[in-house]
């Protein structure tokens, strides 16, 4: 196995709070162990186009509290092709980069998985996504900050819902994973969460109306996982049509969920996982994601991490349902 002297690091896909803390941890841990570090700007596109700069310890000073990513991020269509990955590999060889660290979500780690298989490059992934949908890790970098942002917003929306006796459908990010919606609903005292994991033959909207507002409440908050077909607007229109006696509003939180200074929990998680990258490389690990399980840093093979069936604790659905009466 080729000796690793220089490590490249990039952030890819949607940004998440704590990415900078992870960049800092990887960089400083690597330098302390005698490795060179090169920062790759604008994700896989930057790797293809050689937007690369050598990092020192000072390069990552005072970034642990900053949201976003100093390395910038992008979604690279070119890297999805074999030709694009071939260009990226040529850049790595030119720059003398021996191993690649990728901070991102499912799509980013899928790209790293394909790249590692095609070019025999040691790749280590960090779970940088607000959705908390990567398999094998209890938490992902950015999830806790985003959860707190959503709860803060819902607390404010609740004041208006109560004042005007309205039903508010609040749409949050998450795509095919309902972790943000379910847990923010519990934390904010919302009456219901409509999430992909609870999609059964039962009508979630009818269940909510029957258990909650129809019986005893004149205002309610429903958290809805984003969906192109069944987002907050879809359910709001249904209520207007099927239950015209209710005053309905929609609030789509959008990209404000991604921003802001990371919480202490996300900073600590990102730092622990970032340091774990260097331990993994020195241990001969390759093509794994560094995760956290039961408060222990673990290695998760890429093939497992990018699975789409990360389980949710179904007891949380039951708890929220019981509290909505």
């Amino acid at each position: 196995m080729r000796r690793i002297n220089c490590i490249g690091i990039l952030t890819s896909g949607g940004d998440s709070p704590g990415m900078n803390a992870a960049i800092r941890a990887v960089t400083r841990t690597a330098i302390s162990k005698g490795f060179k570090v090169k920062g790759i700007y604008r994700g896989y596109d930057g790797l293809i186009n050689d937007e690369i700069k050598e990092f020192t310890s000072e390069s990552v000073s005072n970034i642990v509290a900053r949201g976003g990513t100093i390395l910038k991020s992008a979604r690279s269509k070119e890297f999805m092709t074999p030709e694009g990955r071939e260009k990226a590999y040529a850049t790595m060889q030119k720059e003398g980069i021996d191993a690649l660290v990728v901070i991102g979500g499912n799509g980013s780690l899928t790209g790293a998985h394909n790249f590692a298989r095609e070019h025999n490059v040691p790749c280590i992934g960090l779970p940088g996504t607000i959705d908390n949908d990567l398999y094998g890790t209890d938490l992902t970098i950015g999830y806790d900050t985003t959860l707190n942002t959503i709860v803060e917003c819902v607390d404010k929306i609740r004041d208006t819902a109560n004042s005007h006796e309205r039903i508010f459908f609040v749409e949050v990010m998450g795509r095919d994973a309902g972790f943000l919606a379910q847990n923010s609903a519990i934390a904010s005292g919302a009456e219901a969460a409509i999430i992909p994991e609870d999609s059964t033959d039962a009508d979630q909207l009818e269940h909510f109306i029957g258990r909650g507002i129809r019986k005893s409440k004149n205002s309610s908050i429903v958290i809805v996982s984003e969906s192109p077909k069944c987002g907050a607007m879809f359910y709001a229109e249904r209520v207007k049509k099927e239950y015209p006696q209710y005053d309905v509003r929609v609030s789509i939180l959008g990209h404000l969920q991604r921003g802001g200074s990371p919480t202490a929990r996300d900073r600590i998680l990102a730092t622990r996982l970032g340091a774990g990258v260097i331990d993994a490389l020195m241990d001969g690990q390759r093509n794994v994601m560094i995760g956290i399980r039961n408060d222990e840093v673990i290695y998760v093979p890429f093939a497992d991490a990018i699975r789409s069936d990360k389980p949710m604790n179904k007891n949380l659905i039951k708890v929220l349902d019981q509290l909505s009466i």
Side-chain angles (χ1 to χ4, degrees), residues 125-193:
L126 285 177
T129 169
I130 66 172
D131 299 336
N132 199 37
D133 61 346
L134 287 167
Y135 188 90
T137 184
D138 292 340
L139 294 168
T140 60
I141 297 166
Y143 171 69
D144 185 67
T145 305
T146 300
L147 190 60
N148 279 277
T149 297
I150 293 169
V151 170
E152 183 180 351
C153 291
V154 173
D155 287 347
K156 290 177 169 62
I157 291 170
R158 172 74 73 179
D159 293 340
T160 295
N162 287 338
S163 298
H164 295 272
E165 299 183 319
R166 289 171 177 162
I167 301 176
F168 264 87
F169 287 91
V170 181
E171 185 174 294
V172 302
M173 289 182 171
R175 290 194 296 186
D176 298 323
F179 296 98
L180 283 172
Q182 186 68 38
N183 287 300
S184 65
I186 292 173
S188 64
E191 279 65 36

Side-chain angles (χ1 to χ4, degrees), residues 114-125:
N114 293 333
F115 189 55
R117 288 188 301 175
E118 291 174 3
H119 296 287
N120 195 28
V121 173
C123 291
I124 304 292

